[in-house]
Amino acid sequence: MRETLGNEGARVEFMDDDEGWTAQVAPGGTAEARLQIRGGTKTARVEGIVLRVIVRHRHWADAQGLALTEEQARELEERNHLMPAWSRDLLGQTRVEVEQDIGPGDERELTVQVPVPEHCDTTTSACTITLHAQADIRGQIDPTATGKLFVH
């Protein structure tokens, strides 16, 4: 049962570059990321990896619930009364077929390619773009990983 719940099952993790980014890409380009799959206590059948590009924009709300964009909030002289919040939008999704068995203690590295839509905003302090990976593993809760995309 513990393996089914993921306590002792396979794990996935993005491997970042020296600057801490999972991948760097221009809008409309293809992000190339390295993903590591580590075996748990028993052999796991990794059928595929679902990859999602998610964008989050910071916005602000005042005590009355009025929402302000980042630009509108910067124009205010006094911003102490504002609370930050983040939107979350799915920009794209793709699946990479793996069809490999990962034995106990084994490590496999995959290079995955994910298209980043042309309309994707660039990375700023008020706009973060992340890459989410969810492994499709038979017989256990699917492990996930999140990495940071630098879109420039």
Side-chain angles (χ1 to χ4, degrees):
M1 171 127 173
R2 291 177 66 165
E3 287 148 348
T4 301
L5 294 175
N7 290 344
E8 298 173 1
R11 305 258 188 240
V12 293
E13 181 179 350
F14 281 112
M15 302 173 72
D16 296 338
D17 65 19
D18 293 338
E19 298 176 36
W21 300 103
T22 298
Q24 299 187 34
V25 64
T30 300
E32 188 171 283
R34 294 180 304 141
L35 186 69
Q36 185 177 62
I37 305 171
R38 280 190 232 127
T41 59
K42 69 174 191 173
T43 300
R45 178 70 178 174
V46 181
E47 296 177 352
I49 306 285
V50 176
L51 300 157
R52 296 175 181 93
V53 177
I54 309 271
V55 65
R56 292 184 171 149
H57 290 99
R58 182 174 59 203
H59 58 275
W60 300 88
D62 64 12
Q64 289 77 36
L66 177 65
L68 302 169
T69 65
E70 183 74 17
E71 293 76 26
Q72 291 169 325
R74 286 184 188 197
E75 292 174 2
L76 298 176
E77 288 183 31
E78 180 62 41
R79 295 186 288 266
N80 290 339
H81 66 288
L82 299 178
M83 295 293 297
W86 291 85
S87 66
R88 181 179 190 272
D89 297 304
L90 175 66
L91 289 185
Q93 178 174 306
T94 189
R95 180 182 169 95
V96 175
E97 296 302 324
V98 177
E99 299 300 339
Q100 291 184 18
D101 291 328
I102 307 295
D106 286 354
E107 292 185 2
R108 300 272 168 80
E109 185 178 315
L110 299 174
T111 299
V112 294
Q113 296 185 339
V114 182
V116 174
E118 184 75 38
H119 66 275
C120 182
D121 293 325
T122 57
T123 302
T124 66
S125 61
C127 178
T128 62
I129 299 101
T130 54
L131 180 60
H132 294 251
Q134 182 174 7
D136 183 7
I137 299 178
R138 189 178 304 158
Q140 82 170 59
I141 292 177
D142 297 338
T144 61
T146 301
K148 299 184 304 181
L149 290 182
F150 181 62
V151 180
H152 52 91

